[in-house]
C-alpha cells in the first residue's frame, strides 16, 4: 500500500479537510473488518493531516511534506545527507510523489533527485503525535515525530542513520519555524513498552504504556506502514490483540507486510502512574496547561482502576464509526467529567481555563459565548464549551488579554496550577501506596525527575526564587527602585512597576513587586522571572541619591542576557545525575558606590541543574569574601571558567571607574589562566593581582585545589612566590594594571620555559636577583649594592656546577644542553612601568672580573661495609666526612663551616654536584619528581649546613 497520496499537505490543505469517510463493511470476516478499519483510519489520517496543514503555515507544510523524502533518500544537496557509504536509507512502502520531487527541486536545485526504489528500507513508520491536528495545537506547540526503524538493522548502520535523522531534524526546525523533534527508536522496543531510561519524551521508564496509548490516540501517519493496532477490534487486551493479529497474518492473501506490529495497549500498570505524575509536574513547568490536563487523566486512571478502557480504545470505536473525533477534546472531556463526578468545581474551573488558554483561540467577548461560528470550527466548539460553563463577556475579555496580564494575575494563576499539581500528585501517591503498588520507574529516571523538580521548587541558601509564571509575557516596560526610611528606622529597597517618585509613592502599593535590603537582589530576581527585560526602563530613588539611569539600564540588559543564556541551556540527564556545578558567573561591583576600591560586590551564578544563585558582600573585605566564598568555587568546579563576566557601567568621561576597570580586565584573565574543572594535574598556576589590602594570589596546585592568599606588603608576596619548590611546571601571571607589581610582571612575562632566566633589579640601597628556572620556579636573592656582583657570581658558579649534572638526566628539561645555551641575564629597567632588557654579556663581564673561586661540596651515597647499612660521604674542598666516622655527617659539616667562618676566613660554599638517592631526598628535601629543581636543593642543603 502506498500512502504517499494521503500525505500531501499542500494538496489536502487546499481541498476539504475531511471529505472522505470510512466505507461500510461488506462482510463479517476478519479480513473484511481489517480492510474497513484500514479505510476508516486512512480517512481519519487525511482529516487530521488537513487540520495540521491549516495550523502550521506554508513553510511548515513544506517541511512536513518533504520529511518522508529526506528520510527516504540520501543524496548530496539535500538536508540530512551523510557522506558515508554505510548510510542506509528508505522508508518501507513509500516512494516519492511527483509533487514532493518538484518541491525538493525548487528548494534544493543542486540536489540530484531520483525515483529509484530502495532495496533495504531502514524505517518502518513515520508519524506525528501529540496535539498536532487537534484543537489543542497552538503557535507555541511543538511537533513530535516518531521514526520507527526495523529492529533487524545493525548497530553500525543505525549509528550512521541516526546522524541523518539529527541533520533532517535541524533543517525542519530552521525551515518550518516550529519546534520539531524526531524520536528515532526500534519498533520492537515500542512493542514491549520499553522506551528506555530517559529515552523518548525524556524519561521513558516514567511513561511506558502511557506513551504508547497516547501515540495510538493522537498519531497521524506520515509515511511507511500503518500500526497493526488499528486493525484489531476495539477494547482488545494484549492477549486478544496478539491472537487477532497472528490470525490475520496467517490469513492467505492478507498484506501483513503493509503493517508494523507495535503491540497492543495494556491497562496502564498502576505503578507506572507514579513516575508519570512526577514527569507531568516536571513538564508542567514549561507547559502548565497541557500538563494540568494530562495530570487529571492520570488521576482518572488511578481512580477508575481497571474498569475504564484506555482512551485510545474509545477513540478507535468512534473512528470506526466514522466520527471525526478530536483526541484533545476526548482527553479534556474525560478529565472534566471525572472532576464533575467528584464534585470538584474548583479543579473543573481551573482545567476549563487551562484548556481555553492552551488552544490559543480567543472568542469575541462582545458577541458572547453563544455566538455561532462556522459549523464544526474550533471557535464554535469553544463557544459551546464557554456557554456550558456559564462564562460571560467579562471572563472572556479577561482570559483573552492573557498575554498582557499583570504580573500578580499571572502569579496567582501559576500558584493555583501549582496547588492543583501538588494536590493531584498527593492523591495519586496515596492511592497507589494504599493499594501496595510498586513504582515502575527506574532509579536513574527517578533521580533525573527529582532533580528537575528540585531545580525549580526547592529552597536553598542564596538561591534566586523562580516563579512559576505560566507565561513569558510579564516583562514590564518600566520599573522603579525606591528607598525611604520607615518609622521603625529601617530603610529597605522596594521594587515597583512603573515610575515611582517621592510624590507618587504613597498611592502605588498596588504596583509593589518585591522588598529587599539589596537593590541588586531585586533586579536579579526581576530578571530571573522575566519581569525585567532588555528594554525595561529602570528608575531609582535612594537615600544617597539616584543611581544613574544609564548604569541601571545597562545592568538590566546584562542581567537579562545572562538569565537568557542560563535558562536557554536545558540540563542534560548527565548534568542532573551528577553534582550541580556552576556554568556561568556575573559579578557586579560597587553598584551603590563611587569608590575606586571594591566596597560592594554582588555575584550571580547559574548551575548545570538550571538553578540561579545570588550573593552580596559589603565593606573593606568585600573583595576577599567574594573571591574566597564564590569565585574560587566557580573556578574549581566550572567546566568553562571563561564564562565569568564583570558588569562595567557606561563610560564616564572616557574611562571606567577604577574597580570596574580592574575587575573587568583582570578577573576574566585570571579565570581563563587558573582554569576550571579540567585543570591538568602536576601543573601549578598562580595569578597575582592587587586588592584593597595589598596583593593576592590565586594559587592552583591541583585539579581540586585552588586557594586565595592575601599579602599586606610586597615582601610577604615575594616570600611566598619565591619559596622555590619541586613542581613539574609552575606558571605565574601578574596583573597588568598594578604599578607595584610591574617588576614581578616583567620577570614572569620575560622568562622562557626550558631555560634559566636571571633578572637584576637595582633599587635604592640594594640589588635583587630573580631567577626563573627551567620549569617556572621563582627564586630571589637580595644583597647590598656593593655586594651585588659577588651574589651574582656565587649564583653563576653554582649553576656551572649543577647544570652539567642536570644535562645528563633524561627527565630534565635541560637534558643535553649546556649552560651557555639556556642562561639569559636581564636588567630590569623602570621606564614608566618596568621592562626586562637582556644584558647577559654585561653581567658576565662583571662577574669574571671578581675571579671568584668556589669550594666545591659533594654529597654522595656509600655502600655499607661487609653487607651492612650504607651511609653518606660529604666532600668539602679537601676535607671528607664519612657517615661511619661521625654520628651525623651533616651536623659535623655544619660545625666545621661555622668554625671556619668564626676564624675570619671567607669560605664560598657552593653545591657543585649532587648525588642524591631517594632516601636522602625523603629525609632532607622532601619527595620530588625530579632532581632538576636545583635551587630548592641548594637552599635546603645550605640551610642545614649553615645551621
Amino acid at each position: 500500500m502506498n500512502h504517499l497520496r494521503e500525505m500531501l499537505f499542500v494538496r489536502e490543505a487546499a481541498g476539504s479537510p475531511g471529505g472522505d469517510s470510512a466505507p461500510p463493511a461488506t462482510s463479517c470476516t476478519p479480513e473484511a473488518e481489517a480492510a474497513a478499519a484500514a479505510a476508516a483510519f486512512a480517512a481519519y489520517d487525511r482529516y487530521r493531516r488537513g487540520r495540521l496543514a491549516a495550523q502550521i503555515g506554508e513553510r511548515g507544510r513544506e517541511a512536513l511534506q518533504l520529511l518522508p523524502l529526506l528520510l527516504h533518500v540520501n543524496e548530496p544537496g539535500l538536508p540530512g545527507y551523510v557522506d558515508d557509504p554505510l548510510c542506509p536509507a528508505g522508508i518501507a512502502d513509500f516512494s516519492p510523489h511527483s509533487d514532493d520531487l518538484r518541491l525538493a527541486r525548487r528548494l534544493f536545485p543542486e540536489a540530484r533527485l531520483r525515483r529509484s526504489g530502495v532495496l533495504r528500507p531502514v524505517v518502518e513508520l513515520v508519524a506525528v503525535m501529540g496535539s498536532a491536528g487537534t484543537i489543542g495545537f497552538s503557535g507555541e506547540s511543538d511537533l513530535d515525530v516518531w521514526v520507527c526503524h526495523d529492529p533487524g538493522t545493525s548497530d553500525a548502520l543505525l549509528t550512521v542513520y541516526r546522524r541523518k535523522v539529527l541533520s533532517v531534524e535541524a533543517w525542519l526546525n530552521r525551515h518550518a519555524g516550529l519546534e520539531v523533534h524526531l524520536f528515532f527508536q526500534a519498533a520492537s522496543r515500542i512493542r514491549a513498552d520499553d522506551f528506555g531510561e530517559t529515552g523518548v519524551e525524556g524519561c521513558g521508564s516514567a511513561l511506558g504504556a502511557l506513551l504508547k496509548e497516547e501515540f495510538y490516540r493522537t498519531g497521524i501517519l506520515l509515511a511507511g506502514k500503518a500500526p497493526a493496532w488499528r486493525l484489531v477490534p476495539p477494547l482488545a487486551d494484549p492477549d486478544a490483540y496478539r491472537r487477532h493479529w497472528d490470525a490475520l497474518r496467517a490469513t492467505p492473501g492478507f498484506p501483513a507486510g503493509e503493517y508494523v506490529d507495535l503491540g497492543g495497549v495494556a491497562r496502564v500498570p498502576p505503578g507506572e502512574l507514579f513516575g508519570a505524575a512526577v514527569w507531568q509536574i516536571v513538564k508542567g513547568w514549561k507547559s502548565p496547561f497541557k500538563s494540568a490536563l494530562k495530570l487529571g487523566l492520570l488521576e482518572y486512571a488511578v481512580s477508575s482502576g481497571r474498569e475504564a478502557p484506555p482512551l485510545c480504545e474509545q477513540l478507535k470505536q468512534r473512528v470506526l464509526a466514522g466520527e471525526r473525533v478530536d483526541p484533545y477534546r476526548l482527553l479534556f472531556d474525560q478529565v472534566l467529567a471525572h472532576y464533575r463526578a467528584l464534585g470538584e468545581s474548583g479543579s473543573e474551573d481551573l482545567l476549563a481555563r487551562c484548556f481555553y488558554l492552551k488552544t490559543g483561540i480567543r472568542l469575541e467577548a462582545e458577541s458572547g459565548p453563544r455566538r455561532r461560528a462556522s459549523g464544526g470550527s474550533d471557535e464554535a466548539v469553544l463557544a459551546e464549551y464557554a456557554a456550558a460553563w456559564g462564562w460571560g463577556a467579562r471572563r472572556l475579555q479577561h482570559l483573552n488579554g492573557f498575554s498582557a496580564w499583570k504580573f500578580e494575575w499571572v502569579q496567582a494563576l501559576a500558584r493555583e496550577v501549582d496547588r492543583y499539581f501538588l494536590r493531584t500528585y498527593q492523591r495519586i501517591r496515596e492511592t497507589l501506596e494504599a493499594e501496595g503498588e510498586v513504582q515502575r520507574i527506574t532509579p536513574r529516571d527517578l533521580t533525573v525527575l527529582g532533580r528537575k523538580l528540585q531545580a525549580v521548587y526547592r529552597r536553598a541558601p542564596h538561591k534566586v526564587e523562580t516563579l512559576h509564571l505560566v507565561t513569558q509575557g510579564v516583562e514590564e516596560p518600566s520599573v522603579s527602585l525606591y528607598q525611604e526610611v520607615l518609622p521603625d528606622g529601617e530603610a529597605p529597597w522596594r521594587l515597583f512597576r512603573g515610575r515611582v517618585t517621592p510624590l507618587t509613592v504613597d498611592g502605588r502599593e498596588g504596583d509593589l513587586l518585591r522588598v529587599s535590603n539589596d537593590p541588586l537582589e531585586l533586579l536579579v530576581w526581576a530578571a530571573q522571572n522575566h519581569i525585567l527585560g532588555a528594554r525595561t526602563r529602570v528608575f531609582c530613588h535612594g537615600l544617597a541619591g539616584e543611581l544613574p539611569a544609564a548604569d541601571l539600564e545597562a545592568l538590566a540588559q546584562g542581567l537579562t542576557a545572562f538569565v537568557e543564556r542560563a535558562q536557554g541551556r536545558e540540563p542534560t540527564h548527565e548534568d542532573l545525575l551528577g553534582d550541580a556545578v556552576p556554568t556561568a558567573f556575573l559579578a557586579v561591583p560597587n553598584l551603590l558606590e563611587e569608590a575606586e576600591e571594591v566596597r560592594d560586590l554582588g555575584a550571580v551564578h547559574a548551575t548545570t541543574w538550571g538553578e540561579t544563585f545570588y550573593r552580596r558582600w559589603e565593606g573593606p573585605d568585600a573583595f576577599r569574601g567574594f573571591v574566597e566564598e564564590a569565585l574560587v568555587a566557580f573556578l574549581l568546579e566550572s567546566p568553562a571558567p571563561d564564562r565569568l563576566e564583570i558588569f562595567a557601567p557606561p563610560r564616564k568621561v572616557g574611562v571606567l571607574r577604577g574597580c570596574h576597570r580592574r575587575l573587568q580586565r583582570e578577573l576574566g584573565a585570571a579565570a581563563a589562566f587558573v582554569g576550571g574543572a579540567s585543570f591538568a594535574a602536576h601543573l601549578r598556576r598562580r595569578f597575582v593581582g592587587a586588592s584593597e589590602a595589598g596583593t593576592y594570589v590565586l594559587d592552583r596546585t591541583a585539579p581540586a585545589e585552588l586557594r586565595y592568599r592575601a599579602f599586606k606588603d610586597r615582601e610577604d608576596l615575594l616570600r611566598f612566590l619565591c619559596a622555590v619548590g619541586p613542581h613539574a611546571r609552575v606558571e605565574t601571571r601578574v596583573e597588568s594594571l598594578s604599578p607595584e607589581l610591574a617588576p614581578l610582571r616583567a620577570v614572569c612575562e620575560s622568562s622562557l620555559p626550558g631555560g634559566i632566566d636571571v633578572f637584576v633589579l637595582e633599587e635604592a640601597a640594594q640589588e635583587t636577583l630573580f631567577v626563573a628556572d627551567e620549569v617556572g620556579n621563582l627564586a630571589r636573592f637580595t644583597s647590598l649594592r656593593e655586594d651585588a656582583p659577588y651574589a651574582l657570581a656565587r649564583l653563576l658558579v653554582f649553576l656551572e656546577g649543577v647544570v652539567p649534572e642536570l644535562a645528563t638526566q633524561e627527565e630534565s628539561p635541560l637534558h643535553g644542553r649546556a649552560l651557555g645555551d639556556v642562561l639569559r641575564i636581564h636588567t630590569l629597567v623602570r621606564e614608566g612601568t618596568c621592562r626586562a632588557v637582556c644584558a647577559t654579556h654585561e653581567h658576565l663581564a662583571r662577574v669574571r672580573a671578581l675571579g671568584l673561586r668556589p669550594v666545591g661540596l659533594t654529597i654522595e651515597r656509600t655502600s655499607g661495609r661487609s653487607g651492612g647499612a650504607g651511609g653518606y660521604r660529604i666532600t668539602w674542598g679537601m676535607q671528607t666526612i664519612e657517615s661511619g666516622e661521625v654520628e651525623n655527617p651533616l651536623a659535623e659539616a655544619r660545625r666545621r663551616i661555622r668554625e671556619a667562618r668564626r676564624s675570619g676566613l671567607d669560605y664560598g660554599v657552593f653545591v657543585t654536584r649532587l648525588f642524591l638517592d631517594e632516601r636522602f631526598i625523603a629525609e632532607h628535601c622532601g619527595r620530588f619528581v625530579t632532581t632538576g629543581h636545583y635551587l630548592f636543593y641548594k637552599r635546603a642543603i645550605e640551610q642545614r649546613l649553615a645551621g
Side-chain angles (χ1 to χ4, degrees):
M1 180 187 299
N2 189 336
H3 295 284
L4 176 69
R5 290 176 177 79
E6 301 168 9
M7 303 186 319
L8 300 180
F9 288 83
V10 176
R11 296 192 295 278
E12 292 177 7
S16 173
D20 298 316
S21 61
T26 58
S27 69
C28 295
T29 64
E31 307 94 274
E33 290 178 350
F41 270 101
Y44 183 63
D45 279 334
R46 286 193 293 272
Y47 162 65
R48 294 279 305 285
R49 284 196 296 268
R51 293 202 64 185
L52 179 58
Q55 292 172 327
I56 59 178
E58 181 179 357
R59 292 178 68 86
R61 289 193 294 270
E62 289 177 345
L64 220 54
Q65 180 182 345
L66 287 183
L67 171 58
L69 173 65
L70 298 180
L71 294 174
H72 185 66
V73 300
N74 188 49
E75 297 292 346
L78 287 178
Y81 171 67
V82 178
D83 188 10
D84 190 324
L86 290 178
C87 183
I91 301 173
D93 197 22
F94 173 81
S95 62
H97 191 272
S98 57
D99 287 354
D100 302 335
L101 297 175
R102 279 194 294 270
L103 177 60
R105 291 190 181 102
R106 176 168 64 84
L107 295 180
F108 315 107
E110 298 181 359
R112 296 175 299 173
L113 296 174
R114 298 170 294 180
R115 300 187 63 177
S116 59
V118 178
L119 298 179
R120 49 169 189 171
V122 67
V123 174
E124 293 194 301
L125 171 147
V126 181
V128 60
M129 67 166 288
S131 62
T134 75
I135 193 174
F137 190 85
S138 66
E140 298 178 355
S141 300
D142 54 6
L143 291 176
D144 293 339
V145 181
W146 282 19
V147 181
C148 302
H149 63 78
D150 180 0
T153 309
S154 69
D155 291 342
L157 294 179
L158 290 178
T159 299
V160 179
Y161 193 78
R162 187 172 284 107
R163 289 163 48 196
K164 179 180 183 65
V165 172
L166 293 174
S167 180
V168 170
E169 179 185 72
W171 178 82
L172 291 172
N173 281 274
R174 291 194 305 270
H175 185 80
L178 301 168
E179 187 175 349
V180 184
H181 306 281
L182 301 185
F183 297 106
F184 188 55
Q185 54 205 312
S188 58
R189 297 191 67 176
I190 300 175
R191 186 162 56 248
D193 296 338
D194 177 13
F195 295 99
E197 290 188 335
T198 60
V200 178
E201 287 285 342
C203 274
S205 72
L207 302 174
L210 284 167
L211 191 57
K212 184 161 59 175
E213 185 279 328
E214 183 182 0
F215 172 73
Y216 281 154
R217 173 167 38 92
T218 65
I220 307 173
L221 184 65
L222 301 181
K225 304 175 180 181
W229 168 84
R230 295 180 169 185
L231 308 182
V232 177
L235 308 181
D237 60 28
D239 292 336
Y241 167 90
R242 176 57 49 201
R243 291 193 300 270
H244 191 90
W245 174 239
D246 289 342
L248 281 177
R249 287 193 303 166
T251 302
F254 176 76
E258 296 180 4
Y259 300 92
V260 57
D261 178 16
L262 299 180
V265 179
R267 297 292 191 271
V268 176
E272 188 176 294
L273 296 172
F274 169 79
V278 178
W279 177 237
Q280 286 305 330
I281 295 175
V282 171
K283 294 281 284 185
W285 190 257
K286 291 188 175 180
S287 303
F289 304 142
K290 179 172 69 174
S291 290
L293 296 173
K294 289 189 174 182
L295 200 60
L297 178 63
L298 295 178
E299 186 177 10
Y300 162 72
V302 169
S303 62
S304 62
R306 302 181 180 276
E307 299 175 2
L311 279 184
C312 65
E313 297 295 332
Q314 299 180 37
L315 177 132
K316 185 193 292 188
Q317 287 179 311
R318 296 173 62 176
V319 169
L320 295 184
E323 293 186 44
R324 295 176 177 177
V325 58
D326 185 314
Y328 212 83
R329 287 189 61 191
L330 179 66
L331 164 66
F332 177 62
D333 290 342
Q334 186 70 72
V335 174
L336 224 59
H338 168 68
Y339 287 114
R340 189 176 299 118
L342 293 178
E344 291 196 9
S345 57
S347 296
E348 184 181 353
D349 179 65
L350 173 63
L351 294 181
R353 283 176 283 150
C354 290
F355 180 76
Y356 184 84
L357 294 173
K358 173 67 176 70
T359 65
I361 301 169
R362 299 297 177 254
L363 298 176
E364 295 181 12
E366 292 76 9
S367 301
R370 295 185 183 276
R371 179 183 64 88
R372 290 291 180 182
S374 58
S377 69
D378 290 342
E379 289 83 358
V381 169
L382 214 53
E384 292 178 4
Y385 276 124
W389 299 327
W391 286 4
R394 186 174 181 179
R395 167 160 275 200
L396 285 174
Q397 186 176 13
H398 177 66
L399 293 174
N400 289 346
F402 176 66
S403 61
W405 273 12
K406 289 185 177 181
F407 166 74
E408 55 266 31
W409 296 349
V410 175
Q411 190 175 14
L413 178 59
R415 287 173 176 167
E416 194 175 353
V417 171
D418 278 342
R419 287 194 296 269
Y420 168 77
F421 281 173
L422 180 60
R423 182 174 64 249
T424 307
Y425 166 74
Q426 288 176 337
R427 291 195 300 208
I428 291 174
R429 182 171 183 174
E430 289 169 1
T431 301
L432 296 177
E433 289 179 349
E435 296 177 358
E437 295 290 344
V438 178
Q439 300 175 13
R440 294 172 62 93
I441 185 172
T442 66
R444 172 188 170 92
D445 282 352
L446 188 59
T447 299
V448 169
L449 293 178
R451 287 181 174 174
K452 283 187 176 183
L453 289 177
Q454 288 183 47
V456 294
Y457 287 112
R458 77 164 178 143
R459 297 181 181 274
H462 312 296
K463 182 179 177 180
V464 180
E465 179 189 16
T466 303
L467 303 176
H468 191 184
L469 295 178
V470 303
T471 180
Q472 299 297 321
V474 295
E475 179 179 321
E476 295 290 342
S478 62
V479 295
S480 295
L481 290 169
Y482 192 90
Q483 184 187 34
E484 65 178 343
V485 179
L486 300 180
D488 60 1
E490 296 292 326
W493 286 87
R494 292 183 285 174
L495 181 68
F496 287 91
R497 177 193 299 108
R499 185 167 189 177
V500 173
T501 68
L503 297 177
T504 62
V505 66
D506 290 338
R508 300 293 294 275
E509 287 303 317
D511 291 321
L512 179 64
L513 299 175
R514 190 176 177 87
V515 180
S516 173
N517 291 324
D518 180 1
L520 180 56
E521 187 272 336
L522 293 175
L523 295 179
V524 172
W525 174 85
Q528 176 74 7
N529 292 289
H530 307 286
I531 299 167
L532 187 70
R535 297 182 181 180
T536 302
R537 296 289 308 277
V538 184
F539 302 99
C540 174
H541 177 83
L543 298 179
E546 295 188 358
L547 296 177
D551 284 10
L552 290 174
E553 289 170 10
L555 174 59
Q557 294 175 5
L559 288 173
T560 301
F562 179 88
V563 168
E564 287 179 352
R565 287 193 299 272
Q567 295 182 351
R569 180 189 180 277
E570 186 72 21
T572 66
H573 298 136
E574 288 69 26
D575 290 335
L576 295 168
L577 290 169
D579 294 332
V581 298
T583 58
F585 196 97
L586 174 65
V588 182
N590 287 6
L591 180 64
L592 302 176
E593 299 278 351
E594 291 288 345
E596 291 293 309
E597 299 176 344
V598 178
R599 296 292 180 179
D600 180 290
L601 201 150
V604 191
H605 80 266
T607 74
T608 49
W609 286 12
E611 297 173 295
T612 303
F613 294 84
Y614 167 78
R615 293 190 66 180
R616 182 189 180 197
W617 298 264
E618 296 179 273
D621 288 335
F623 181 73
R624 179 197 59 77
F626 159 71
V627 175
E628 290 184 345
E629 299 171 20
L631 182 63
V632 166
F634 173 74
L635 299 181
L636 277 174
E637 300 171 3
S638 173
D642 58 340
R643 293 292 304 276
L644 174 108
E645 304 174 45
I646 307 295
F647 165 71
R651 294 178 178 273
K652 293 185 176 182
V653 199
V655 296
L656 290 174
R657 292 183 220 155
C659 72
H660 292 87
R661 180 171 178 260
R662 177 180 301 281
L663 295 179
Q664 187 182 38
R665 286 190 53 178
E666 301 301 336
L667 276 189
F673 179 69
V674 173
S678 59
F679 185 82
H682 309 300
L683 174 66
R684 183 176 190 178
R685 280 185 173 172
R686 302 177 296 195
F687 183 89
V688 184
S691 67
E692 288 67 30
T695 56
Y696 71 91
V697 176
L698 288 172
D699 186 25
R700 187 74 181 267
T701 56
E705 185 174 356
L706 173 63
R707 285 187 286 180
Y708 169 84
R709 301 171 182 268
F711 303 94
K712 294 183 179 180
D713 53 44
R714 193 183 73 165
E715 184 62 28
D716 290 340
L717 171 68
L718 293 178
R719 188 176 296 113
F720 168 73
L721 294 177
C722 296
V724 180
H727 310 295
R729 177 153 186 77
V730 58
E731 299 176 9
T732 304
R733 184 172 295 180
V734 182
E735 180 181 306
S736 61
L737 294 177
S738 173
E740 295 298 320
L741 297 175
L744 183 62
R745 183 174 67 253
V747 168
C748 295
E749 291 179 351
S750 301
S751 58
L752 296 177
I756 301 172
D757 290 277
V758 180
F759 300 86
V760 180
L761 174 62
E762 296 181 354
E763 296 178 303
Q766 66 181 23
E767 187 170 88
T768 302
L769 302 181
F770 291 98
V771 183
D773 70 8
E774 74 278 12
V775 295
N777 283 307
L778 285 179
R780 179 185 57 146
F781 304 92
T782 302
S783 62
L784 297 176
R785 288 287 292 273
E786 56 268 21
D787 296 332
Y790 183 73
L792 178 60
R794 291 186 62 188
L795 175 64
L796 294 178
V797 170
F798 165 72
L799 293 176
E800 288 177 354
V802 173
V803 170
E805 177 66 24
L806 298 178
T808 65
Q809 302 177 12
E810 294 186 359
E811 68 272 22
S812 172
L814 302 180
H815 175 66
R817 304 173 67 187
L819 178 63
D821 298 330
V822 299
L823 177 67
R824 296 191 309 167
I825 308 177
H826 311 258
T827 298
L828 292 177
V829 180
R830 290 185 179 272
E831 294 178 352
T833 174
C834 189
R835 62 189 183 93
V837 179
C838 190
T840 302
H841 297 295
E842 174 187 343
H843 288 290
L844 287 179
R846 293 173 60 190
V847 169
R848 292 191 185 99
L850 294 175
L852 191 66
R853 295 291 181 270
V855 175
L857 182 145
T858 301
I859 303 174
E860 57 185 324
R861 180 72 181 269
T862 60
S863 58
R865 299 176 180 176
S866 302
Y872 299 99
R873 176 184 298 115
I874 298 178
T875 303
W876 173 34
M878 300 298 293
Q879 303 181 38
T880 300
I881 305 173
E882 297 278 357
S883 58
E885 299 174 355
V886 295
E887 182 177 354
N888 190 328
L890 287 177
E892 178 63 19
R894 186 184 305 119
R895 185 187 66 78
R896 296 187 188 187
I897 291 172
R898 283 200 296 264
E899 288 180 355
R901 288 181 175 174
R902 282 196 296 268
S903 68
L905 299 177
D906 185 10
Y907 285 91
V909 180
F910 308 106
V911 181
T912 57
R913 298 189 69 193
L914 299 175
F915 296 92
L916 304 178
D917 60 17
E918 292 183 3
R919 180 180 175 186
F920 184 89
I921 294 174
E923 289 179 357
H924 304 290
C925 304
R927 292 193 176 278
F928 308 111
V929 178
T930 172
T931 60
H933 310 295
Y934 41 85
L935 292 177
F936 178 86
Y937 292 115
K938 174 181 184 294
R939 181 164 294 179
I941 295 172
E942 285 186 338
Q943 287 175 352
R944 295 180 185 280
L945 292 177

